[in-house]
Amino acid sequence: MAQWRECTITRCEPLELDGCWLVVTEGSLDGGPPLDAWSTRVRQLVGDGARWIVFDAAAIDSFVDCGHGALVQVADLLRQAGGGAILMRLSTRQRTIFKLLAIEHYFSFAETPEDALAIAGLVDGR
């Protein structure tokens, strides 16, 4: 039986921009039940009206293929809702992996919450 590493949403809150949420995740976006629970919660935000999600990646240890796939699926849902996914504080190594996998075009990237809000606000035309 596979042992899946944990990923936990430690913070999930709306930001100042309407329809924009911050999701702070700790652990590994790996697979199995932990990733399923993470994905269900994030998809629920989109279903409840989130158009932009800022994913704070500072405490994410690693992404495995299933984790990359889950993020791409959420980014696609957010695009369909008129917004997008913003990865914040992604390490240089992780950013390189997104580029090598040719999936970075699904996301916007930010270093600070202010940068992330600016991206969402500029795209929304505010």
Side-chain angles (χ1 to χ4, degrees), residues 21 26 38 47 53 55 75 79 95 101-102 108 114-116 122:
W21 283 74
E26 190 175 286
W38 179 90
I53 298 179
F55 293 99
R79 276 192 187 165
R95 178 76 186 263
L101 292 172
S108 295
E114 294 79 18
D115 293 341
L122 290 173

Side-chain angles (χ1 to χ4, degrees), residues 2-99:
Q3 287 291 332
W4 302 106
R5 295 190 298 175
E6 289 298 317
C7 62
T8 304
I9 294 176
T10 58
R11 222 167 112 198
C12 182
E13 59 192 36
L15 296 172
E16 301 88 65
L17 185 64
D18 188 42
C20 188
W21 283 74
L22 172 67
V23 173
V24 179
T25 301
E26 190 175 286
S28 300
L29 291 182
D30 188 359
L35 182 61
D36 291 344
W38 179 90
S39 184
T40 297
R41 177 64 182 117
V42 171
R43 288 170 179 270
Q44 180 183 14
L45 288 174
V46 179
D48 290 345
R51 292 178 304 112
W52 290 95
I53 298 179
V54 178
F55 293 99
D56 188 335
I60 296 177
D61 301 326
S62 65
F63 297 83
V64 180
D65 292 345
C66 292
H68 289 114
L71 275 171
V72 167
Q73 288 174 351
V74 169
D76 193 44
L77 288 174
L78 289 164
R79 276 192 187 165
Q80 291 172 26
I86 301 171
L87 298 176
M88 184 174 70
R89 301 191 314 158
L90 199 64
S91 74
T92 303
R93 179 181 175 276
Q94 291 168 343
R95 178 76 186 263
T96 300
I97 292 169
F98 275 73
K99 187 173 185 168

